[in-house]
Amino acid sequence: MQRIAIIGAGPGGICAGIRLKQAGHEDFVILEQAGGVGGTWWHNSYPGCACDVPSHLYSFSFALKRDWPRPYATQPEIRAYMEDCVARFGLWPHIRLKTPVSAARWIETQAAWELTLADGGTLQAEVLVGAVGMFNLPAWPAIAGLDRFAGTVFHSARWNHAHDLAGRDVAVIGSAASAVQFVPQIARLARRLDVYQRTPNWVRPREDAYTPEQLAEFRDDPAAAAAERETVWNWVNAIQTLVDPDILRDSAAVCLQNLDVVKDPATRAKLTPDYPFGAKRALISNDWYPTFNRSNVQLVSEPIAGITPEAIVTRDGTPRVVDTIVLATGFDTTRFLSTIDVSGRDGVRLDDAWADGAQAYLGITVAGFPNLFMLYGPNTNNGSIIFQIECQVDYLLRHLQRMAREKLAWIEVKPEVMADYNRRLQADLDAVAVWHSGAHDYYRAASGRIVTQWPHGMDRYREITAANDDDAYLGGGDTGD
């Protein structure tokens, strides 16, 4: 039996593995469905893929990267960093690639988790760490006729690099985070490009380059890199709470100034949000808006009625013939670990426990699911997820140490503690006015509950996860050690 099983070798699983080894734990395994490590930075390889958190806040505090070549790192750079961390900290012997987990079941009599693998094999572990995050399951739109399209269809999160877009008539369905990055890249290749937009986004300009002098200073002077990280921290920590009216107003003004580059007034109007800044995830790009000045690019805001084998038909009856459809429709962000069939005490499925929307204590533990810890779980999305994950892994380690110290076979958050935490959390979420402006976003479960976002700063999350909360848990059994 493995002591600890970690599902996912993205940033969460990598951070957990490294910190476990640093704390002296060697009896753990990391199970990864993909053919490599990095999680979303392995899967998302579309043209122009990059992070929208500044680079100097996107490395682990115990493995700071000072030589990021640009203010916002690209996917190949982040993936290389994650692979370097795995090699540098000796994680490869613990990682099993191409090993999807299809189910996890708590076995009461053994105080352990049994994991069923996609190939039919099983393994057991005393502690289960779910590090699947939010952005692991691509969302396919329910559009009539999509399955009958005769051309090529693929999701941006699973980019088809074998399909050459040069000279093709391409449709992109979706205009949010991924599209903002790849549309400008493929617009240079396609003969014609139609971009289907449901809702416009607020798009800030991106700082694209460091000077050679800055890069040299970051590489050669740790204090300079630390100062840059502190500057970025303060900015991200301030803007993410979305309650300062001056920040909101100034941010909207910067986005509108960025939009002014669009020459056609009608197109510019379609790209102008009618909801307040911060109501949806704000994006960053310098080339998104200029793309709509190209003669081969058309913005389509009329809703899609259906798809024929040759064309996309909008509600006004207009067919637009294309040979390629790229779905930039995001992810099923509200499922978290329930994308796997997880059953806790008395066989209760996590999906059923979350019928009204995913919730957890601190975004990490769930009542009725002993010895289960989640990384990037419900209501932890904001700021730098790398920092949030580090807080969660430190929390995990502290409770593992307690279990060892007190010889506990299991611990489980008390239902009343989790319920009280989530009542207070939802009240804090309700206080963020822009999130209740009626804009469509990925933050909510079907019930309307916001299940993805953290409403405070990163410093507040560090504070609550670092506090001693042993009395929030039930504990039992005896390891016999």
Side-chain angles (χ1 to χ4, degrees):
M1 180 186 295
Q2 294 280 350
R3 174 80 171 106
I4 302 165
I6 301 168
I7 304 176
I14 291 170
C15 180
I18 293 171
R19 295 288 284 117
L20 284 168
K21 287 182 73 73
Q22 290 176 332
H25 295 276
E26 290 290 342
D27 192 6
F28 67 90
V29 63
I30 303 176
L31 307 170
E32 169 56 51
Q33 65 175 335
V37 300
T40 192
W41 299 111
W42 167 272
H43 287 295
N44 285 267
S45 60
Y46 56 78
C49 183
C51 191
D52 58 6
V53 172
S55 302
H56 279 270
L57 203 55
Y58 212 78
S59 61
F60 300 122
S61 64
F62 51 80
L64 289 176
K65 181 175 173 63
R66 303 201 307 271
D67 60 347
W68 291 111
R70 66 200 87 248
Y72 292 90
T74 64
Q75 178 264 345
E77 293 161 352
I78 298 173
R79 177 177 160 184
Y81 169 75
M82 293 295 167
E83 291 171 343
D84 176 69
C85 286
V86 167
R88 193 186 345 162
F89 291 96
L91 283 191
W92 280 119
H94 298 273
I95 296 175
R96 293 169 59 177
L97 299 176
K98 298 181 181 179
T99 309
V101 177
S102 58
R105 178 173 64 98
W106 174 253
I107 304 176
E108 193 75 40
T109 56
Q110 300 181 41
W113 286 94
E114 181 179 80
L115 278 62
T116 302
L117 309 180
D119 64 4
T122 62
L123 64 82
Q124 289 189 355
E126 297 168 10
V127 174
L128 178 61
V129 179
V132 300
M134 282 173 50
F135 301 108
N136 69 90
L137 188 64
W140 282 67
I143 301 175
L146 178 60
D147 58 339
R148 297 192 299 274
F149 181 65
T152 299
V153 181
F154 57 90
H155 197 285
S156 61
R158 303 292 184 267
W159 196 268
N160 184 350
H161 291 279
H163 185 66
D164 188 359
L165 296 178
R168 294 189 179 275
D169 296 327
V170 182
V172 173
I173 299 177
S175 61
S178 299
V180 162
Q181 294 185 342
F182 76 75
V183 161
Q185 307 299 316
I186 68 172
R188 304 165 189 166
L189 303 172
R191 180 174 67 177
R192 193 183 93 249
L193 177 60
D194 299 331
V195 180
Y196 289 80
Q197 172 189 273
R198 180 175 59 183
T199 309
N201 293 280
W202 290 101
V203 183
R204 302 173 62 97
R206 177 195 296 270
E207 183 184 358
D208 269 343
Y210 288 125
T211 66
E213 293 77 17
Q214 284 177 304
L215 291 172
E217 187 177 25
F218 294 150
R219 284 193 304 266
D220 301 338
D221 183 1
E228 176 71 4
R229 183 178 171 95
E230 182 71 15
T231 298
V232 168
W233 165 278
N234 291 334
W235 178 75
V236 172
N237 204 43
I239 198 171
Q240 74 178 61
T241 57
L242 298 171
V243 294
D244 186 320
D246 292 335
I247 291 178
L248 294 174
R249 183 185 62 252
D250 293 347
S251 296
V254 167
C255 293
L256 291 174
Q257 185 178 13
N258 197 28
L259 173 61
D260 278 344
V261 70
V262 178
K263 295 175 182 178
D264 177 55
T267 302
R268 191 165 61 247
K270 291 178 182 179
L271 289 165
T272 303
D274 62 357
Y275 56 86
F277 179 88
K280 295 178 60 177
R281 174 183 177 182
L283 310 177
I284 54 173
S285 175
N286 293 337
D287 49 10
W288 169 249
Y289 290 135
T291 298
F292 294 98
N293 292 329
R294 297 180 62 97
S295 60
N296 67 325
V297 177
Q298 181 178 9
L299 179 68
V300 182
S301 58
E302 182 72 17
I304 296 173
I307 297 176
T308 71
E310 297 83 23
I312 295 179
V313 182
T314 47
R315 192 178 294 169
D316 62 3
T318 302
R320 292 176 175 84
V321 176
V322 293
D323 55 60
T324 304
I325 297 176
V326 182
L327 303 174
T329 46
F331 299 84
D332 192 346
T333 57
T334 63
R335 296 284 306 281
F336 302 96
L337 188 59
S338 70
T339 57
I340 296 168
D341 185 11
V342 178
S343 301
R345 288 200 192 276
D346 302 318
V348 175
R349 297 178 66 248
L350 188 58
D351 229 5
D352 295 330
W354 285 351
D356 292 330
Q359 58 180 302
Y361 173 59
L362 305 180
I364 302 172
T365 59
V366 182
F369 294 80
N371 292 5
L372 171 63
F373 298 83
M374 291 179 293
L375 309 177
Y376 205 172
N379 294 111
T380 63
N381 183 51
N382 216 341
S384 170
I385 194 57
I386 298 295
F387 175 83
Q388 301 282 93
I389 285 170
E390 283 199 53
C391 293
Q392 294 155 10
V393 170
D394 287 345
Y395 185 89
L396 161 68
L397 290 174
R398 193 170 74 248
H399 281 283
L400 289 177
Q401 290 163 359
R402 180 203 169 195
M403 291 175 68
R405 184 174 62 251
E406 300 180 15
K407 297 184 178 181
L408 297 171
W410 60 267
I411 63 170
E412 175 191 341
V413 67
K414 297 174 182 175
E416 63 272 20
V417 170
M418 190 179 89
D420 180 63
Y421 172 81
N422 278 279
R423 276 194 296 270
R424 290 182 283 110
L425 175 66
Q426 289 299 319
D428 292 343
L429 289 164
D430 287 344
V432 183
V434 293
W435 285 343
H436 302 278
S437 62
H440 180 87
D441 55 52
Y442 64 69
Y443 304 159
R444 299 173 191 276
S447 65
R449 180 203 300 265
I450 293 178
V451 299
T452 63
Q453 299 308 99
W454 170 245
H456 304 295
M458 294 180 289
D459 49 1
R460 174 60 179 156
Y461 193 68
R462 174 172 55 190
E463 177 186 340
I464 65 169
T465 54
N468 186 298
D469 64 351
D470 289 355
D471 60 355
Y473 286 85
L474 302 167
D478 188 337
T479 62
D481 296 338

